[in-house]
C-alpha cells in the first residue's frame, strides 16, 4: 500500500482505502474518545521519506512533540517551516495535478487505549475533521486509507486494525498535493492536522445518519425525517418534548413527516430552537431543530414567506496564534460581536467551518451561506487553461467535496443557501455539483458567483459590482445586458434574487459607500444585500528581533511568492479590535430607521420578522455636546416591515450653542450576544438656532515687513510661526499628502473611476508622481498691519511646474488669535488630491501634546464617504487612541466637521481652537498624530515607525474619500477631492 499511497500525492482521486461515506456531524451518546493532544512529530522536506514510522515498534522518542490540532508551520518557532500567504497565485508550479518533490511532509504518531468494552462495537471509526492537504493513515502498522479535502470531514473504518488496550495511529500529511490546485482560497497555506481527531465506537443497532428537514407555514411546523440505519436498529423514536412530539417508527418504511400544530419559527433575528432526540435501543442522537421554510419565489429569496436582506460578512477561520484551529469560546465571542454590529449573515468563505461554529450560528441567529471547500483561482494566471472545473478527471473530486459539505451540515437551520465554492471559473464539474445538490436537497438553493449566465445556479451573484452596475441589476431595464450575458441570459438572471457575495473590500482604512449599496437594497427588492469582504484581518502574531510584537502578513515569512498585506482586509483587526469601518457598517445597516418630520419621527422596523418588543427607545438633548435633558420615547409596537409615527419630546433650544437630539434604540433586556441597553440603532436631529458666521474683518494699511513680531499669544520670526501660547509651534505648512490607504494604492481599472484616473495606475502613484509627499515652499511676501500678519507662499514640488498659492493671515480678534489660510491651486493639476490641509508641528518640550478633546463628529475617524457612524458630540481621546493600528500604516485618525478642539498634555489644556465655517458653511476636520503622513507612508509595519519627539496637528479643509479600490470600485465622484481653492479659518486661544 505504501507505493500506492505515495503516488496519490498527484492523483485527483479524493480518497481511498477504508474511507467511509460522508454523513452528518452528530451529537451522539455512542462511546468516543478524543485523540487531540500531544502527538510525536517529524517533518521531512520531501514526500519520499521512508514510511518506517508506521510500524508499531518504531522508536519515535527522538521526534518532537506537536499539539493536535495545530499547524506545524505555527509550531516550533520556524523550525517546521513558515506560513505562506497568497491571494490568487499558487506557491508551486502550475503543473496540474503534479506538485514539486520539495513537498514538506509531516509524520505524526500517537498511542491510544481502546477500552475493552468497545469489543461490542459493530465498527470502530477514526474521524478527522480537518487535515491540510493530503493525509494517509495507518493503525498498528496496517494501512487504512488516505484522503484529501482539507476543510472536510473524513471517517475511516479501523475495526479490523484495532485491538483492546494499546494501539498506535500513524498519519502522514503532505503540504502539497493534487488537492492543492482546488484549495487556492485567499488565505494562508497552513499544513497539518488542524481540526479534531476522534475515535468512535459505532454500536450495533445504532444510527448511521439523521436528517431532520423542517418547514414552517403560518404557525404550523413539519419535521420530515430521514434516518439511515440497519433494519435491526428499528424501532426509531423521534422526540421533541417541548412540542409533545414522540413518534415511533417501527421500520424504515414507516419514517414519514410529522406535523406539529403550533410552533415558533426560526429566523436569524429570533433563532428559536427545539431540543430533539432520535433514538434506538443502542444510540441516541440529540439535535436542535429550527422550523423554517426556504424558497425562491420569482426574484425574491424568502424564509418563512418573507424577503431576506443579507447584512453579511465573509468569514474565514483565522486566529493570529492558532491559524484555523477552532476555539469555541473565541468563536462564540466573534459571532456575538457580529450580532452587536448588526451583522445578520455569514458566508463561510471559502470552505465549511468547524461544525461547532454552525451550532453557534443556529443558536445566536445568522443566515448562513455554506460554501464548499473549492477554489482554483490560480488558473487565472494561465487564462484558465487546465482548470479542473471542466476536466472530467476531476469530476469525482468535485462531487466528493460537495457531498461532504452538504452531508456534514445538512441539519443546521441557519444554513439557507449552499455555495459550490469560489473563483473556480466555470465548467461541467460545477454543473454536476449543482445537480447533485438539487437532487439531494430540493429546498435550499444553490449559489456560485462564477456562473455568470445562470446555467446551473438559482441565485444571481456578483462580487465588487459598482453602485451603478448593482442598480442596473436591480432594475427591469430590458435594453441593458449584464456582465458576460446575452440579452436572454440577462433576462434570466434578472428573474432571480441577486446578492453581492463580496463587496466593499474592507482593507485598511475603508471602505466607503456602504450607504449607497444599502439604499439600493431598499429601492430594488430583487437586490438582497450582500457580504462584506471580509470579517477580520488574518495577521499572524510575530516578533521583531528585539521582541516587539506585530501582526505579520504576506512576505514577512520570506515567501518566494506572496500577496503582501492583501490578507489584512477585515473590519476587525487581528487582535479583535473593531475598525471604524465596522462601526460604519453597523450604522448603515441598522434595522431601525428614523425619519424626522417636524415635531414627529417616523420609526421604521426593517427587520425580517421580529417586532420592536425587545427594544426601548431613549432620547437625549445636548447643547454643544453637553447633556441637558433625557428620557424614554414612548413607541408603540412596530411589526417587521412597518412604521410608526411618534411625537418628539420638547427640545430646549439654546441661542448660544448647537442643540442636538439623539434617539437610540437599545435592547430592553440582555441577550446571548449583548447586555441590556446595547445600542442597536441611533439617529440625530439638529435643532440648533441659526447663528451668523463671524465676518472676515477687512484691513487696510498693509506694508512689507520682515515678519519678526508678537501677535497676541503667537510669536513669529521671518513671517513664520515659532511660538504659540508659550510653547514652540511651527506652521501652518500646506499638506496635500496623506499616507496612502490600501484603497489609494489600488490600481485603476479605468472604469467608473472618480476623476482623471490612469488605467493600471493607483491614485497613490499619481500623488507621488506629482510630488505631493515632497512639497517645497518659496516665500513671496510678508506684510503686516498693527494687529495682523500676512504671508504669501508658493508651494510646489521638484520636477513639476504645478503649484499652489497659500495666503496666511494672522490677526488679533478680541482675546483670540485668528488664522485664515487661503489655498488656491494653479491650473494643470490632472488628478484628485488626497487632502487640502495645513500642518502644525508641536515639539514635546517639557509637556508633549498627547491628547485632544473636541466638539464635532466622533468618536471614531470619519471621511467623506464614511460618515454614517459619526455623530455630533463632545469627545476626548489620547493621541495613540486617535489612530487605528492598521497592519500596514496608512492614513488614519481624521475627525470631520470640527467645531472646537482642545489640545492636552496629560491633564493640562495646552491650546483651544475654534474652527470657523467657510463661506459655504463647510467645516474642517483634524488629525492629531505622533507621525507625519510621510513617516507613516514609509513604514510597512507599525514597529517601523520612527521614534518621535513631536506631535503633528493637521487641519483639513477637505479629504478625499476612501472608496474600495484595493479590490472594488473607486471613490464615488461626489466624494472625490479635486484640486480647488479652499479656506481654513481658526480661532486660537492659549490656556
Amino acid at each position: 500500500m505504501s507505493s500506492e499511497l505515495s503516488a496519490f500525492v498527484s492523483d485527483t482521486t479524493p480518497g481511498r482505502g477504508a474511507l467511509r461515506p460522508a454523513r452528518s456531524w452528530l451529537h451522539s451518546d455512542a462511546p468516543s474518545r478524543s485523540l487531540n493532544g500531544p502527538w510525536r512529530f517529524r517533518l521531512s522536506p520531501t514526500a519520499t521519506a521512508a514510511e518506517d514510522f508506521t510500524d508499531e515498534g518504531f522508536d519515535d522518542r527522538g521526534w518532537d512533540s506537536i499539539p493536535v490540532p495545530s499547524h506545524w508551520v505555527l509550531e516550533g518557532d520556524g523550525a517546521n517551516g513558515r506560513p505562506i500567504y497568497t491571494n490568487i497565485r499558487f506557491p508551486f508550479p502550475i503543473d496540474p495535478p503534479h506538485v514539486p518533490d520539495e513537498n514538506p511532509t509531516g509524520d505524526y504518531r500517537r498511542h491510544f487505549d481502546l477500552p475493552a468494552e468497545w469489543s461490542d462495537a459493530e465498527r470502530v471509526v477514526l474521524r478527522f475533521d480537518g487535515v491540510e492537504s493530503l493525509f494517509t493513515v495507518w493503525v498498528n502498522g496496517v494501512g487504512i486509507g488516505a484522503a484529501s479535502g482539507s476543510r472536510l470531514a473524513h471517517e475511516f473504518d479501523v475495526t479490523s486494525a484495532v485491538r483492546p488496550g494499546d494501539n498506535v495511529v500513524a498519519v502522514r500529511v503532505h503540504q502539497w498535493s493534487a488537492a492543492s490546485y482546488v484549495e487556492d482560497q485567499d488565505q494562508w497555506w497552513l499544513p497539518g492536522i488542524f481540526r479534531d481527531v476522534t475515535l468512535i465506537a459505532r454500536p450495533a443497532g445504532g444510527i448511521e445518519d439523521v436528517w431532520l428537514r423542517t418547514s414552517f407555514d403560518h404557525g404550523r411546523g413539519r419535521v420530515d425525517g430521514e434516518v439511515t440505519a440497519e433494519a435491526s436498529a428499528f424501532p426509531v423514536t423521534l422526540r421533541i418534548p417541548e412540542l409533545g412530539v414522540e413518534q415511533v417508527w417501527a421500520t424504515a418504511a414507516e419514517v414519514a413527516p410529522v406535523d406539529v400544530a403550533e410552533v415558533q419559527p426560526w429566523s436569524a433575528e429570533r433563532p428559536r430552537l427545539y431540543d430533539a432526540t432520535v433514538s434506538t435501543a443502542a444510540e441516541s442522537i440529540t439535535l436542535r431543530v429550527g422550523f423554517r421554510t426556504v424558497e425562491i419565489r420569482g426574484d425574491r429569496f424568502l424564509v418563512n414567506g418573507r424577503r431576506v436582506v443579507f447584512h453579511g460578512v465573509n468569514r474565514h477561520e483565522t486566529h493570529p496564534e492558532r491559524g484555523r484551529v477552532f476555539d469555541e469560546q473565541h468563536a462564540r465571542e466573534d459571532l456575538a460581536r457580529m450580532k452587536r454590529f448588526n451583522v445578520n449573515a455569514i458566508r463561510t468563505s471559502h470552505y465549511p467551518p468547524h461544525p461547532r461554529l454552525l451550532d453557534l450560528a443556529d443558536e445566536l441567529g445568522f443566515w448562513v451561506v455554506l460554501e464548499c471547500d473549492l477554489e482554483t483561482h490560480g488558473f487565472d494566471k494561465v487564462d484558465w487553461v487546465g482548470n479542473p472545473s471542466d476536466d472530467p478527471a476531476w469530476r469525482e473530486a468535485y462531487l466528493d467535496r460537495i457531498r461532504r459539505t452538504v452531508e456534514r451540515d445538512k441539519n443546521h437551520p441557519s444554513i439557507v443557501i449552499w455555495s459550490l465554492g469560489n473563483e473556480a471559473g466555470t465548467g461541467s464539474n460545477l454543473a454536476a455539483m449543482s445537480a447533485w445538490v438539487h437532487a439531494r436537497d430540493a429546498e435550499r438553493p444553490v449559489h456560485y458567483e462564477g456562473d455568470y449566465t445562470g446555467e446551473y445556479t438559482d441565485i444571481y451573484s456578483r462580487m465588487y459590482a459598482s453602485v451603478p452596475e448593482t442598480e442596473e441589476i436591480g432594475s427591469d431595464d430590458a435594453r441593458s445586458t449584464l456582465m458576460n450575458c446575452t440579452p436572454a441570459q440577462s433576462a434570466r438572471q434578472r428573474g432571480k434574487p441577486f446578492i453581492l457575495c463580496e463587496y466593499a473590500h474592507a482593507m485598511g482604512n475603508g471602505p466607503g459607500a456602504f450607504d449607497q449599496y444599502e439604499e439600493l437594497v431598499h429601492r430594488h427588492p430583487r437586490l438582497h444585500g450582500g457580504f462584506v469582504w471580509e470579517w477580520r484581518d488574518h495577521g499572524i502574531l510575530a516578533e521583531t528581533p528585539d521582541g516587539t510584537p506585530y501582526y505579520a502578513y504576506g512576505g514577512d515569512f520570506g515567501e518566494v511568492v506572496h500577496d503582501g498585506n492583501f490578507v489584512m482586509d477585515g473590519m476587525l483587526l487581528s487582535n479583535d479590535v473593531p475598525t471604524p469601518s465596522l462601526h460604519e457598517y453597523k450604522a448603515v445597516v441598522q434595522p431601525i430607521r428614523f425619519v424626522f418630520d417636524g415635531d414627529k419621527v417616523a420609526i421604521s422596523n426593517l427587520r425580517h420578522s421580529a417586532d420592536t418588543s425587545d427594544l426601548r427607545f431613549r432620547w437625549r438633548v445636548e447643547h454643544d455636546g453637553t447633556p441637558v435633558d433625557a428620557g424614554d420615547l414612548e413607541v408603540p409596537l412596530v411589526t417587521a416591515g412597518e412604521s410608526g409615527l411618534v411625537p418628539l419630546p420638547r427640545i430646549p433650544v439654546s441661542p448660544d450653542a448647537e442643540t442636538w437630539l439623539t434617539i437610540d434604540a437599545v435592547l430592553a433586556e440582555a441577550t446571548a450576544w449583548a447586555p441590556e441597553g446595547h445600542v442597536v440603532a441611533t439617529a440625530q436631529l439638529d435643532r440648533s438656532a441659526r447663528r451668523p458666521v463671524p465676518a472676515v474683518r477687512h484691513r487696510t494699511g498693509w506694508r512689507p515687513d520682515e515678519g519678526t513680531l508678537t501677535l497676541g499669544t503667537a510669536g513669529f520670526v521671518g513671517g513664520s510661526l515659532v511660538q504659540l501660547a508659550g510653547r514652540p509651534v511651527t506652521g501652518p505648512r500646506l499638506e496635500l499628502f496623506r499616507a496612502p490607504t490600501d484603497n489609494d494604492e489600488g490600481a485603476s481599472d479605468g472604469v467608473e473611476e472618480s476623476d482623471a484616473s490612469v488605467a493600471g495606475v493607483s491614485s497613490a502613484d499619481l500623488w507621488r508622481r506629482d510630488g505631493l509627499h515632497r512639497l517645497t515652499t518659496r516665500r513671496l511676501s510678508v506684510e503686516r498691519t498693527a494687529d495682523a500678519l500676512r504671508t504669501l507662499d508658493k508651494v510646489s514640488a521638484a520636477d513639476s511646474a504645478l503649484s499652489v498659492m497659500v495666503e496666511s493671515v494672522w490677526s488679533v480678534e478680541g482675546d483670540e488669535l485668528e488664522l485664515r489660510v487661503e489655498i488656491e491651486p494653479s491650473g494643470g493639476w490632472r488628478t484628485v488630491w488626497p487632502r487640502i490641509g495645513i500642518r502644525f508641528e508641536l515639539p514635546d518640550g517639557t509637556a508633549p501634546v498627547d491628547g485632544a478633546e473636541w466638539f464635532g463628529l466622533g468618536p471614531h475617524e470619519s471621511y467623506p464617504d464614511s460618515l454614517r457612524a459619526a455623530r455630533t458630540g463632545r469627545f476626548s481621546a489620547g493621541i495613540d487612541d486617535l489612530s487605528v493600528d492598521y497592519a500596514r500604516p496608512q492614513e488614519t485618525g481624521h475627525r470631520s466637521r470640527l467645531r472646537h478642539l482642545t489640545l492636552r498634555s496629560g491633564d493640562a489644556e495646552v491650546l483651544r481652537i475654534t474652527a470657523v465655517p467657510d463661506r459655504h458653511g463647510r467645516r474642517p476636520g483634524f488629525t492629531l498624530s505622533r507621525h507625519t503622513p510621510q513617516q507613516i507612508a514609509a513604514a510597512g509595519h507599525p514597529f517601523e515607525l520612527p521614534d518621535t519627539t513631536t506631535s503633528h496637528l493637521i487641519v483639513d479643509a477637505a479629504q478625499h474619500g476612501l472608496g474600495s479600490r484595493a479590490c472594488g470600485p473607486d471613490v464615488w465622484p461626489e466624494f472625490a477631492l479635486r484640486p480647488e481653492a479652499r479656506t481654513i479659518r481658526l480661532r486660537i486661544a492659549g490656556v
Side-chain angles (χ1 to χ4, degrees):
M1 188 174 186
S2 296
S3 60
E4 178 186 359
L5 292 175
S6 296
F8 188 43
V9 171
S10 296
D11 192 338
T12 61
T13 304
R16 61 182 64 188
L19 185 62
R20 306 186 71 244
R23 66 186 183 114
S24 299
W25 192 82
L26 296 170
H27 298 273
S28 168
D29 65 356
S32 67
R33 300 197 67 175
S34 172
L35 297 189
N36 292 352
W39 289 52
R40 307 301 291 175
F41 178 74
R42 175 184 70 183
L43 184 66
S44 302
T46 73
T48 58
E51 293 176 354
D52 54 346
F53 78 103
T54 65
D55 296 338
E56 290 183 73
F58 180 80
D59 184 0
D60 60 16
R61 286 176 295 178
W63 288 19
D64 295 328
S65 177
I66 196 170
V68 168
S70 70
H71 303 279
W72 71 62
V73 293
L74 297 183
E75 303 291 329
D77 196 24
N80 298 324
R82 291 293 193 180
I84 299 170
Y85 167 62
T86 63
N87 169 30
I88 298 173
R89 296 185 284 182
F90 291 120
F92 45 80
I94 306 173
D95 183 24
H98 306 290
V99 292
D101 295 336
E102 293 87 351
N103 187 355
T105 296
D107 292 332
Y108 295 77
R109 281 174 55 91
R110 72 157 288 166
H111 290 257
F112 65 88
D113 184 70
L114 191 75
E117 58 269 25
W118 280 29
S119 60
D120 295 334
E122 183 176 66
R123 288 185 309 280
V124 178
V125 172
L126 184 59
R127 180 182 180 98
F128 294 83
D129 281 304
V131 183
E132 184 175 328
S133 72
L134 167 70
F135 67 107
T136 309
V137 182
W138 295 263
V139 174
N140 295 327
V142 177
I144 300 299
S148 61
S150 298
R151 270 67 69 176
L152 304 169
H154 299 89
E155 291 183 336
F156 297 91
D157 189 336
V158 298
T159 310
S160 62
V162 296
R163 59 187 175 232
D166 184 60
N167 294 261
V168 178
V169 57
V171 182
R172 168 160 286 184
V173 180
H174 303 290
Q175 176 159 12
W176 310 123
S177 68
S180 302
Y181 285 100
V182 295
E183 293 179 0
D184 186 32
Q185 292 97 337
D186 176 7
Q187 61 179 348
W188 294 98
W189 299 86
L190 299 172
I193 305 174
F194 69 92
R195 286 187 186 157
D196 306 302
V197 182
T198 311
L199 197 67
I200 305 167
R202 298 295 310 129
I207 300 169
E208 181 64 18
D209 203 358
V210 172
W211 186 4
L212 297 184
R213 296 179 175 92
T214 64
S215 59
F216 177 82
D217 184 17
H218 296 89
R220 298 183 300 276
R222 170 173 280 203
V223 181
D224 188 357
E226 177 185 289
V227 179
T228 304
E230 299 290 338
S232 60
F234 286 83
V236 173
T237 303
L238 167 67
R239 294 184 179 89
I240 310 178
E242 194 174 352
L243 298 177
V245 172
E246 183 161 341
Q247 177 69 47
V248 179
W249 295 307
T251 67
E254 291 185 16
V255 177
V258 177
D259 291 317
V260 186
E262 187 175 343
V263 298
Q264 296 176 23
W266 185 96
S267 73
E269 293 166 356
R270 291 188 171 164
R272 183 65 163 91
L273 295 170
Y274 294 90
D275 292 327
T277 60
V278 179
S279 306
T280 69
E283 183 180 16
S284 182
I285 304 292
T286 60
L287 303 97
R288 304 195 76 188
V289 175
F291 290 88
R292 55 102 182 97
T293 295
V294 178
E295 62 180 323
I296 290 178
R297 213 181 287 164
D299 62 358
R300 307 291 195 274
F301 176 82
L302 310 175
V303 175
N304 298 333
R306 296 185 63 87
R307 171 176 174 256
V308 171
V309 174
F310 296 101
H311 293 133
V313 294
N314 283 274
R315 180 191 180 274
H316 267 292
E317 287 193 309
T318 183
H319 185 275
E321 295 174 85
R322 297 186 297 270
R324 280 188 287 279
V325 175
F326 183 73
D327 179 282
E328 184 163 330
Q329 181 178 351
H330 186 260
R332 178 181 286 275
E333 175 52 34
D334 220 26
L335 267 60
R337 186 182 292 108
M338 289 182 188
K339 296 285 286 189
R340 293 195 293 272
F341 281 90
N342 292 333
V343 173
N344 71 2
I346 299 170
R347 178 180 178 226
T348 68
S349 53
H350 299 291
Y351 43 82
H354 190 284
R356 274 295 290 158
L357 185 98
L358 298 167
D359 286 343
L360 298 177
D362 293 341
E363 174 191 333
L364 295 174
F366 290 92
W367 311 115
V368 174
V369 177
L370 198 285
E371 199 142 80
C372 185
D373 187 9
L374 177 68
E375 181 167 337
T376 67
H377 205 170
F379 285 94
D380 181 61
K381 174 85 173 182
V382 291
D383 295 324
W384 299 98
V385 173
N387 182 23
S389 295
D390 204 33
D391 184 343
W394 294 82
R395 177 71 54 85
E396 181 53 33
Y398 274 56
L399 289 173
D400 180 74
R401 285 173 181 266
I402 195 63
R403 283 194 294 261
R404 293 187 180 278
T405 296
V406 171
E407 296 293 357
R408 193 196 75 169
D409 297 326
K410 55 186 176 283
N411 280 293
H412 291 284
S414 57
I415 297 173
V416 293
I417 296 173
W418 299 113
S419 179
L420 303 180
N422 185 68
E423 292 176 323
T426 190
S428 60
N429 293 338
L430 288 157
M433 293 169 73
S434 179
W436 184 89
V437 176
H438 284 117
R440 183 69 176 117
D441 184 1
E443 181 190 38
R444 285 178 278 213
V446 172
H447 163 273
Y448 175 67
E449 187 266 349
D451 180 26
Y452 296 125
T453 60
E455 297 293 332
Y456 48 85
T457 50
D458 306 303
I459 291 169
Y460 183 32
S461 175
R462 288 284 310 285
M463 55 176 67
Y464 307 111
S466 67
V467 170
E469 185 182 3
T470 303
E471 183 169 24
E472 186 178 76
I473 293 167
S475 72
D476 292 320
D477 182 5
R479 294 170 298 177
S480 64
T481 57
L482 303 178
M483 189 185 80
N484 294 341
C485 289
T486 65
Q489 291 165 341
S490 298
R492 174 167 61 194
Q493 293 294 62
R494 282 197 174 97
K496 299 176 181 179
F498 175 78
I499 62 173
L500 285 160
C501 66
E502 296 178 21
Y503 81 111
H505 191 262
M507 185 177 180
N509 189 348
F514 277 137
D515 51 351
Q516 293 176 281
Y517 286 101
E518 181 67 10
E519 192 275 332
L520 293 179
V521 167
H522 297 289
R523 186 144 45 95
H524 300 288
R526 177 181 303 133
L527 307 180
H528 287 72
F531 298 81
V532 174
W533 188 268
E534 65 174 305
W535 170 240
R536 64 160 60 240
D537 283 357
H538 298 221
I540 292 179
L541 187 61
E543 287 187 353
T544 64
D546 67 0
T548 302
Y550 70 101
Y551 292 100
Y553 50 74
D556 288 336
F557 297 107
E559 300 102 308
V560 175
V561 296
H562 64 86
D563 288 302
N565 70 317
F566 207 70
V567 76
M568 307 299 232
D569 47 14
M571 294 191 291
L572 198 69
L573 298 179
S574 300
N575 60 355
D576 297 342
V577 173
T579 66
S581 69
L582 187 52
H583 291 276
E584 180 76 1
Y585 184 77
K586 174 185 177 180
V588 167
V589 305
Q590 62 185 29
I592 304 297
R593 176 181 290 173
F594 303 90
V595 178
F596 295 101
D597 184 8
D599 60 355
K600 295 181 179 179
V601 58
I603 297 178
S604 300
N605 180 0
L606 305 180
R607 292 162 149 181
H608 171 266
S609 49
D611 59 33
T612 57
S613 59
D614 62 331
L615 301 176
R616 190 171 76 250
F617 294 83
R618 301 185 310 203
W619 62 269
R620 66 183 180 276
V621 175
E622 295 169 323
H623 290 164
D624 276 359
T626 301
V628 295
D629 203 357
D632 286 342
L633 198 65
E634 294 299 324
V635 177
L637 187 73
V638 183
T639 58
E642 299 298 325
S643 299
L645 198 61
V646 180
L648 293 173
R650 186 190 65 82
I651 301 174
V653 176
S654 168
D656 302 315
E658 292 188 34
T659 300
W660 286 86
L661 169 70
T662 303
I663 300 177
D664 294 325
V666 304
L667 291 178
E669 297 179 354
T671 68
W673 46 270
E676 176 185 350
H678 166 76
V679 176
V680 173
T682 191
Q684 282 193 310
L685 174 64
D686 184 0
R687 279 294 178 88
S688 304
R690 285 188 172 273
R691 289 181 292 168
V693 175
V696 175
R697 185 148 59 101
H698 180 66
R699 284 179 168 81
T700 59
W702 292 102
R703 63 183 186 278
D705 191 85
E706 65 175 12
T708 299
L709 70 158
T710 298
L711 283 178
T713 63
F716 301 86
V717 173
S720 298
L721 180 70
V722 295
Q723 185 174 309
L724 195 55
R727 62 178 298 133
V729 178
T730 60
R733 175 188 176 90
L734 179 69
E735 187 62 83
L736 302 180
F737 185 67
R738 72 183 185 193
T741 67
D742 291 307
N743 291 315
D744 294 337
E745 295 283 10
S748 165
D749 63 5
V751 179
E752 296 172 344
E753 298 292 349
S754 62
D755 198 350
S757 297
V758 178
V761 179
S762 71
S763 292
D765 282 338
L766 296 176
W767 300 339
R768 288 184 284 257
R769 177 201 68 184
D770 288 345
L772 298 189
H773 60 310
R774 49 180 176 80
L775 298 175
T776 60
T777 301
R778 180 167 67 90
R779 172 112 342 135
L780 302 182
S781 65
V782 180
E783 298 177 306
R784 65 171 295 182
T785 65
D787 61 354
L789 172 71
R790 181 168 66 187
T791 61
L792 182 63
D793 297 323
K794 184 176 184 180
V795 180
S796 53
D799 194 35
S800 174
L802 303 171
S803 64
V804 181
M805 299 300 295
V806 180
E807 181 187 66
S808 301
V809 178
W810 294 88
S811 61
V812 176
E813 307 292 343
D815 58 357
E816 292 183 310
L817 187 68
E818 178 170 301
L819 168 64
R820 177 170 53 86
V821 182
E822 301 285 355
I823 301 166
E824 185 173 352
S826 68
W829 293 94
R830 302 191 304 278
T831 187
V832 296
W833 278 352
R835 73 186 337 142
I836 302 175
I838 53 175
R839 191 174 89 213
F840 296 90
E841 313 293 329
L842 300 101
D844 288 351
T846 58
V849 173
D850 58 9
E853 297 176 0
W854 73 98
F855 176 45
L857 290 190
H860 309 289
E861 65 184 28
S862 55
Y863 293 83
D865 53 355
S866 184
L867 286 169
R868 292 285 289 275
R871 60 182 174 85
T872 302
R874 190 172 294 276
F875 309 97
S876 64
I879 194 167
D880 293 332
D881 296 325
L882 288 166
S883 301
V884 179
D885 203 16
Y886 295 113
R888 184 189 70 79
Q890 56 196 274
E891 164 64 30
T892 177
H894 179 76
R895 266 71 179 176
S896 308
R897 299 178 188 172
L898 178 67
R899 280 80 160 169
H900 305 290
L901 172 66
T902 300
L903 301 182
R904 303 187 66 90
S905 178
D907 295 330
E909 296 182 354
V910 175
L911 286 174
R912 294 175 184 162
I913 300 173
T914 298
V916 181
D918 68 9
R919 60 189 180 90
H920 299 287
R922 298 173 296 194
R923 299 182 183 273
F926 83 96
T927 304
L928 181 66
S929 172
R930 294 294 288 174
H931 296 94
T932 67
Q934 291 77 9
Q935 289 171 327
I936 295 170
H941 301 83
F943 69 80
E944 295 172 14
L945 290 167
D947 293 334
T948 177
T949 58
T950 302
S951 297
H952 306 273
L953 172 66
I954 302 178
V955 178
D956 287 317
Q959 273 254 3
H960 186 53
L962 298 174
S964 187
R965 204 161 89 172
C967 185
D970 195 9
V971 175
W972 189 245
E974 179 184 349
F975 305 113
L977 179 57
R978 297 162 182 82
E980 61 185 20
R982 297 297 290 256
T983 300
I984 296 174
R985 286 183 69 191
L986 305 175
R987 293 283 180 95
I988 304 171
V991 178

